[in-house]
Amino acid sequence: MGRHEIPAGRVKITDAFWSPRQRLMTDVTIPYMEKILRDEVEGAEKSNAITNFKMAAGEMTGEFYGMVFQDSDVYKWLEAAAYSLNLKNDPALEKRVDEVVDLIGRCQQEDGYINTYFTVKEPENRFRNLLECHELYCAGHLIEAAVALFEAVGKRKLLNICIRFADCIVDRFMNEDGIPGHQEIEIALMRLYHATGNDRYRLMAERFLDLRGQDADWFKKHTPPHPGVHYGGYDIDPEDAAYNQSDVPVRGQTAARGHAVRQMYMLTAMADVASVNQDPGLTEACERMFENITRRQMYITGAVGSTPVHESFTVDYDLPSDRCYGETCASVAMAFFAHNMLSLKKDGRYADLLELELYNAALSGMQLDGKRFFYVNPLSVDTRVSGIVAGYEHVLPARPKWHACACCPPNLARLVTSLGKYLFSEEENTVYSHLLIGCEAETGHGKIKVESRYPWEGWAEYTLSRGGNFTLAVHVPHHAENFSVMINEEYEKHPIENGYCLIKRNWKENDRVRIKFDMPVKRIHANLHVRDAAGKVSIKRGPIVYCAETADNRFDLSALVLPASSPIHTHASCALDGMIELRAEGLLQTDSDELYMDEVSYKKVPLTLIPYFAWGNREKGDMLVWMREN
Amino acid sequence: MGRHEIPAGRVKITDAFWSPRQRLMTDVTIPYMEKILRDEVEGAEKSNAITNFKMAAGEMTGEFYGMVFQDSDVYKWLEAAAYSLNLKNDPALEKRVDEVVDLIGRCQQEDGYINTYFTVKEPENRFRNLLECHELYCAGHLIEAAVALFEAVGKRKLLNICIRFADCIVDRFMNEDGIPGHQEIEIALMRLYHATGNDRYRLMAERFLDLRGQDADWFKKHTPPHPGVHYGGYDIDPEDAAYNQSDVPVRGQTAARGHAVRQMYMLTAMADVASVNQDPGLTEACERMFENITRRQMYITGAVGSTPVHESFTVDYDLPSDRCYGETCASVAMAFFAHNMLSLKKDGRYADLLELELYNAALSGMQLDGKRFFYVNPLSVDTRVSGIVAGYEHVLPARPKWHACACCPPNLARLVTSLGKYLFSEEENTVYSHLLIGCEAETGHGKIKVESRYPWEGWAEYTLSRGGNFTLAVHVPHHAENFSVMINEEYEKHPIENGYCLIKRNWKENDRVRIKFDMPVKRIHANLHVRDAAGKVSIKRGPIVYCAETADNRFDLSALVLPASSPIHTHASCALDGMIELRAEGLLQTDSDELYMDEVSYKKVPLTLIPYFAWGNREKGDMLVWMREN
């Protein structure tokens, strides 16, 4: 079985919500990232990434600088740039992309190996420390960039370079045990398999997955001592096998644990392999982990990773709002995972998760102007402690310009610029629409045009360019109420199965399908085991999680109560153009000079809630998702 | 001005609540500690403390072992043993105490200096690293032990040893700048001043206090490098002047910060100096800090220290229940501070604080059997995360046997065994009773016998053995309702000033004063700025804070709601002999397989609350002080 998605190159997004965000990426973020990589942004953290390549190519001298995985910044930018070239003709960018590809090519060693750190600094230590050295991780991002350049804009050169590198990896690791310290190569090898059809890459990905956790002491046994050298800036404990999910075989894992991005990248690859191989054991493991994460370890925004310590999952139901990690990359990876689960099974729960990440935890990683990024996405910020008090240092009340470890911005960039590929799949005689996003898609049944008012209204219209006998399967978001389907001007009833409305019909040219549903404001409550949120309320409307922030609410947010009886109204936001904000009457606990008291009183206060993804765009202040209710 | 307290030697406690706890200390805890110090307890952490002294005396060879401040374990035990000898005749213990005193004497250097670490390991580095080496801290505890032996049982030998040591310290530091890295010597020098009347000790204490913070870079300038040596097991950052409160002159400090025990020891000494010198600037600083701590930075139990990182205060209103530090030593020190504030001013707020610590945060440090101790006293324990998840490692759900850093158990032992001295002060023609604890006290106006049913009932009776014209001033706890005074068989009205009921009278022999007040169960609410507790409820009755724990409540405590309308009843506890427990009807959120949901339902559940100090005595389980309310 192959993949069923309609690739990004065949889906042009024309959406009031997403098109401007894609433009921000192509016009602002991706050029900005490139400047960073070239060290042309004043006041930003030094990157040196391009310079590292020049040194590895023997065209400059100097010291390698940056994380041991600094190369991946270039690769992720390159992948995003590839999608960007698909979105927008930009000959100057294309020329620079070609130059970077050439530069990477000149860094390639005779046997196909590419990594600037090891080429410049420790050529004798290639592939010796898989735990910490991220060579396979970097290789994975390089391969993903190559596949993107090939699929999105038809460029083959980097793909050819990567095939040589991938062959070098396969030659080595098909014959010798090896476990990637940071999962990613598995995703990339599967993408290379899909792009080339060459089975050895799939088999290599499978082997990397299946070796993992067979011996929980593998890294302990195979990590050479390296006194005084700190790859990646810190030492990873070879005995902490749960950190990189190598404590238990992947098919036997039952709960998310350890480093969240590693966990999600692994699951993304597992879902792909399970889908291609129709492997029941792997499928079951993926479903089990999906259940564990979404029912036990995920914030309401879709964020994952409850602690900054090792950027990790912790234990079921441990979801503190104010100290959570919720790394942007982990949410991007959750979207990857959801997308690959859709390859495995067309189940609306996966599309719901994809949607949740896109409109909330992933998107909040980015400033509305595309120039600043969060690494950490908390659900509660209190400027008296966030970023200041021990244990809260990682929780920033404003997006920084750039990060020394610059993984998140390009990860978000590649997600948003490749958004097209997340919209549709085709399988047998069915076209699946997973997301209600305006676009023009070239399907096996002709062009489909989608107009959408989502996420602000439950309204989308599909226009088919060609007739024929097939099923259009439209994802019905889990929150939709009073879902209706109108075909041309007639209301019709169609079955909803696994979260998709199946409209089977002998279509005529220019047939229009209009779907409509209500998106009432919903008060959401947390499971009783979530100590931090149980008894509180958070507000959702459609796919959007809402929050209160200081810019609209000039009081201490910890004084706020949103009574269960208080009606909540929608308004077009003045401050945040094009968004729907919510207003309600809240109660405010009266201030007191005492720390503890018998009685407290409350007074009414107008409350404004804004979409969570848009917080922190106006001023540095407090923010709150879970509010007291009474 | 001297101190006004009636010393422990003149107050014999005969109290249903406290006498058994004093007996536990004399019969169980103090002998157990001694065994630990002598390394005679199997399975306990190695101490080596007595052995270190033998090596310093040249009577054994070997390696020094333990913290750089290991000596202080012996001194604190010695102080507790001194009070213990006052409580109970024990010739065998007395003999061993004398032997330890002799051993300490044999460790004394020619110039008076005593410290086993520096004598054994680094004689050339004496007093060179005041930041980390705790020599003055150990000296302080030695002096406190000496004063206790002198005052409680009339033994002078250690006092004489200490006078020589104190003179050595004064000679050095009156002529040379020096700031103690861990405050304690200041308390001890004041106690030595009170015991001997020698002004140079008071002046030395003053000088230590006044030098502190004059130059925020003092430790940075005066801490020698010591590569590879970690005094006290970890390095202290010489640039973090706030850690040991040396960033601002003590008179100018406005908010508690840094290491909580250091902060509270410093304030204890400041209050003593302020009282003796009638120093308005220092008095004002003490009052300001008292206000800051009790109105901004103290848990409802009296615990202080919001974070395990540096065992520190953080910022105003940052009082997380589940990750708090609340070190037992810090609460013991809060009691010391409150006690010394009573020397400064007879104000019921100080007696209230003393009472709060005694019945809650300090007492919870100790198992009911006297054999196990908490270092950390959280207000919420969830066995799924406490002691396990990163950031919660310090929060233990059960008291351990002993600690590598064994500061807390002997600190609690010396507080409980010397409790007598906290009960009364005399000033001019007034006898102040600060605590409602049964006792026989020898006052300047004859013996006063107190019978008490506190803390379970608001009832105490004072019987005076001698007539005369004076005022009996009885502290009226801040929570008392319908306070009444009956003299002999007549109700009388007497003025209450600053929290004391002033009964001025020409007393006759055998006059009886009976005070009575109501102690209704109270629902306490937190200031709106306390994010963790705002909107929740905690329950107090009299001085006792209550909590729910698993042993009585077989459900997930995070599901619990205590409705505002639910009556709370008192019951004699079956499980915890002699205590009052509380019962109410609570609500329990219904369990669900979903993580987030629109609706939650509740069912009724019987709820039992027990005194906070008694939690964790029956089984390992969860515990909760702040409960949801609706």
Side-chain angles (χ1 to χ4, degrees), chain A residues 298 525 528-529 556 558 596, chain B residues 298 528-529 556 558 596-597:
Chain A
M298 185 181 76
H525 299 88
L528 68 91
H529 301 296
D556 189 328
S558 70
Y596 305 109
Chain B
M298 185 181 77
L528 68 93
H529 301 296
D556 189 327
S558 71
Y596 304 109
M597 59 218 91

Side-chain angles (χ1 to χ4, degrees), chain B residues 213-324:
Chain B
Q214 297 297 342
D215 175 3
D217 290 334
W218 195 88
F219 284 113
K220 195 173 148 188
K221 291 174 187 161
H222 292 87
T223 303
H226 47 88
V229 181
H230 303 284
Y231 297 111
Y234 57 93
D235 295 320
I236 295 171
D237 178 4
E239 304 207 13
D240 183 5
Y243 170 69
N244 62 16
Q245 301 83 32
S246 64
D247 53 337
V248 176
V250 300
R251 291 160 194 272
Q253 296 187 5
T254 53
R257 70 188 72 195
H259 188 256
V261 173
R262 283 171 168 82
Q263 173 75 79
M264 296 320 305
Y265 279 7
M266 183 175 93
L267 287 169
T268 299
M270 281 165 64
D272 201 348
V273 173
S275 158
V276 170
N277 292 1
Q278 293 285 295
D279 178 327
L282 210 51
T283 301
E284 209 178 283
C286 288
E287 285 173 351
R288 201 164 53 227
M289 295 295 274
F290 175 88
E291 292 292 315
N292 173 262
I293 293 166
T294 58
R295 289 177 191 266
R296 302 276 177 110
Q297 298 204 65
M298 185 181 77
Y299 288 91
I300 192 169
T301 57
V304 292
S306 299
T307 176
V309 180
H310 301 147
E311 309 175 318
S312 286
F313 287 99
T314 57
V315 297
D316 288 358
Y317 300 116
D318 179 43
L319 295 162
S321 283
D322 57 349
R323 291 157 290 131
C324 88

Side-chain angles (χ1 to χ4, degrees), chain A residues 222-280:
Chain A
H222 292 87
T223 303
H226 47 89
V229 182
H230 303 284
Y231 297 112
Y234 57 94
D235 294 321
I236 295 171
D237 178 4
E239 305 207 11
D240 183 5
Y243 170 69
N244 61 17
Q245 300 83 33
S246 63
D247 53 337
V248 177
V250 299
R251 288 160 195 274
Q253 296 188 5
T254 53
R257 71 188 69 197
H259 188 257
V261 173
R262 284 171 168 80
Q263 174 74 79
M264 296 320 306
Y265 279 8
M266 185 175 93
L267 288 169
T268 299
M270 282 165 65
D272 201 349
V273 173
S275 159
V276 170
N277 292 0
Q278 293 285 296
D279 178 327

Side-chain angles (χ1 to χ4, degrees), chain A residues 106 171 214 288 294 474 507 559 600:
Chain A
R106 295 197 300 274
D171 289 345
Q214 297 297 343
R288 201 164 54 230
T294 58
V474 179
W507 299 99
V600 284

Side-chain angles (χ1 to χ4, degrees), chain A residues 294-305:
Chain A
T294 58
R295 288 176 191 268
R296 303 275 177 111
Q297 298 204 64
M298 185 181 76
Y299 288 91
I300 192 169
T301 56
V304 292

Side-chain angles (χ1 to χ4, degrees), chain A residues 113-382:
Chain A
Y113 180 90
I114 304 173
N115 183 292
T116 72
Y117 178 88
F118 283 94
T119 300
V120 172
K121 273 189 98 157
E122 300 186 33
E124 70 284 10
N125 286 331
R126 281 172 33 172
F127 291 139
R128 285 199 59 217
N129 180 340
L130 297 185
L131 178 66
E132 295 169 299
C133 290
H134 289 70
E135 291 154 283
L136 292 169
Y137 170 86
C138 288
H141 279 299
L142 177 56
I143 293 168
E144 288 209 82
V147 172
L149 274 169
F150 174 62
E151 288 185 344
V153 285
K155 286 181 182 286
R156 252 210 102 93
K157 182 162 186 183
L158 192 58
L159 193 71
N160 290 336
I161 291 169
C162 281
I163 286 172
R164 280 185 61 208
F165 190 7
D167 289 342
C168 158
I169 291 168
V170 172
D171 289 345
R172 166 94 176 215
F173 292 103
M174 271 300 185
N175 299 308
E176 188 179 297
D177 281 1
I179 304 180
H182 190 315
Q183 298 91 321
E184 155 63 24
I185 186 72
E186 304 87 343
I187 296 176
L189 288 168
M190 287 305 294
R191 289 187 71 181
L192 191 60
Y193 158 74
H194 291 299
T196 64
N198 189 333
D199 238 12
R200 61 198 317 241
Y201 306 131
R202 177 178 64 80
L203 293 168
M204 187 71 252
E206 267 182 65
R207 183 170 155 84
F208 276 141
L209 288 172
D210 280 333
L211 269 178
R212 187 168 218 97
Q214 297 297 343
D215 175 3
D217 288 336
W218 195 89
F219 283 114
K220 196 173 148 189
K221 292 174 186 161
H222 292 87
T223 303
H226 47 89
V229 182
H230 303 284
Y231 297 112
Y234 57 94
D235 294 321
I236 295 171
D237 178 4
E239 305 207 11
D240 183 5
Y243 170 69
N244 61 17
Q245 300 83 33
S246 63
D247 53 337
V248 177
V250 299
R251 288 160 195 274
Q253 296 188 5
T254 53
R257 71 188 69 197
H259 188 257
V261 173
R262 284 171 168 80
Q263 174 74 79
M264 296 320 306
Y265 279 8
M266 185 175 93
L267 288 169
T268 299
M270 282 165 65
D272 201 349
V273 173
S275 159
V276 170
N277 292 0
Q278 293 285 296
D279 178 327
L282 210 51
T283 299
E284 210 179 282
C286 287
E287 284 172 354
R288 201 164 54 230
M289 295 296 273
F290 175 87
E291 291 293 314
N292 173 262
I293 293 167
T294 58
R295 288 176 191 268
R296 303 275 177 111
Q297 298 204 64
M298 185 181 76
Y299 288 91
I300 192 169
T301 56
V304 292
S306 300
T307 176
V309 180
H310 301 150
E311 308 175 317
S312 286
F313 287 98
T314 58
V315 296
D316 288 358
Y317 301 116
D318 179 43
L319 295 162
S321 283
D322 56 350
R323 290 156 289 130
C324 87
Y325 205 66
E327 186 179 336
T328 303
C329 280
S331 284
V332 169
M334 287 280 280
F336 295 161
F337 175 48
H339 183 220
N340 282 359
M341 289 302 280
L342 283 171
S343 276
L344 199 52
K345 187 181 173 194
K346 301 297 167 290
D347 185 325
R349 293 178 307 148
Y350 306 139
D352 284 328
L353 176 60
L354 178 56
E355 188 175 285
L356 180 72
E357 300 295 346
L358 284 174
Y359 289 102
N360 300 281
L363 193 55
S364 74
M366 175 180 149
Q367 193 86 350
L368 293 177
D369 66 7
K371 289 184 185 163
R372 291 169 169 268
F373 297 87
F374 274 134
Y375 201 104
V376 167
N377 295 280
L379 277 77
S380 160
V381 165
D382 178 339

Side-chain angles (χ1 to χ4, degrees), chain A residues 293-300 307 309 314-315 317-320 322-323 382 384-385 389-390 392 522-531 534-536 556 558-559 589-600 602 626 628, chain B residues 293-300 307 309 314-315 317-320 322-323 382 384-385 389-390 392 522-531 534-536 556 558-559 589-600 602 626 628:
Chain A
I293 293 167
T294 58
R295 288 176 191 268
R296 303 275 177 111
Q297 298 204 64
M298 185 181 76
Y299 288 91
I300 192 169
T307 176
V309 180
T314 58
V315 296
Y317 301 116
D318 179 43
L319 295 162
D322 56 350
R323 290 156 289 130
D382 178 339
R384 292 167 301 188
V385 302
V389 169
Y392 298 88
K522 288 199 176 167
R523 293 172 169 269
I524 310 291
H525 299 88
N527 185 291
L528 68 91
H529 301 296
V530 183
R531 287 166 299 130
K536 295 184 179 170
D556 189 328
S558 70
Q589 183 177 334
T590 312
D591 207 351
S592 161
D593 195 36
E594 296 296 322
L595 192 50
Y596 305 109
M597 60 217 92
D598 298 356
E599 299 280 341
V600 284
Y602 295 88
W626 288 102
R628 299 199 236 160
Chain B
I293 293 166
T294 58
R295 289 177 191 266
R296 302 276 177 110
Q297 298 204 65
M298 185 181 77
Y299 288 91
I300 192 169
T307 176
V309 180
T314 57
V315 297
Y317 300 116
D318 179 43
L319 295 162
D322 57 349
R323 291 157 290 131
D382 178 341
R384 292 168 300 187
V385 300
V389 169
Y392 299 86
K522 288 199 177 168
R523 294 173 170 267
I524 310 290
H525 299 88
N527 186 291
L528 68 93
H529 301 296
V530 183
R531 286 167 297 129
K536 294 183 177 168
D556 189 327
S558 71
Q589 182 178 332
T590 312
D591 207 351
S592 161
D593 195 37
E594 297 295 323
L595 192 50
Y596 304 109
M597 59 218 91
D598 297 356
E599 299 280 339
V600 286
Y602 295 88
W626 288 103
R628 299 198 235 160

Side-chain angles (χ1 to χ4, degrees), chain A residues 26-27 31 84-85 87-97:
Chain A
T26 58
D27 298 354
S84 173
L85 289 175
L87 297 179
K88 179 185 159 186
N89 187 29
D90 184 342
L93 174 63
E94 190 170 347
K95 183 162 170 283
R96 294 197 309 277
V97 163

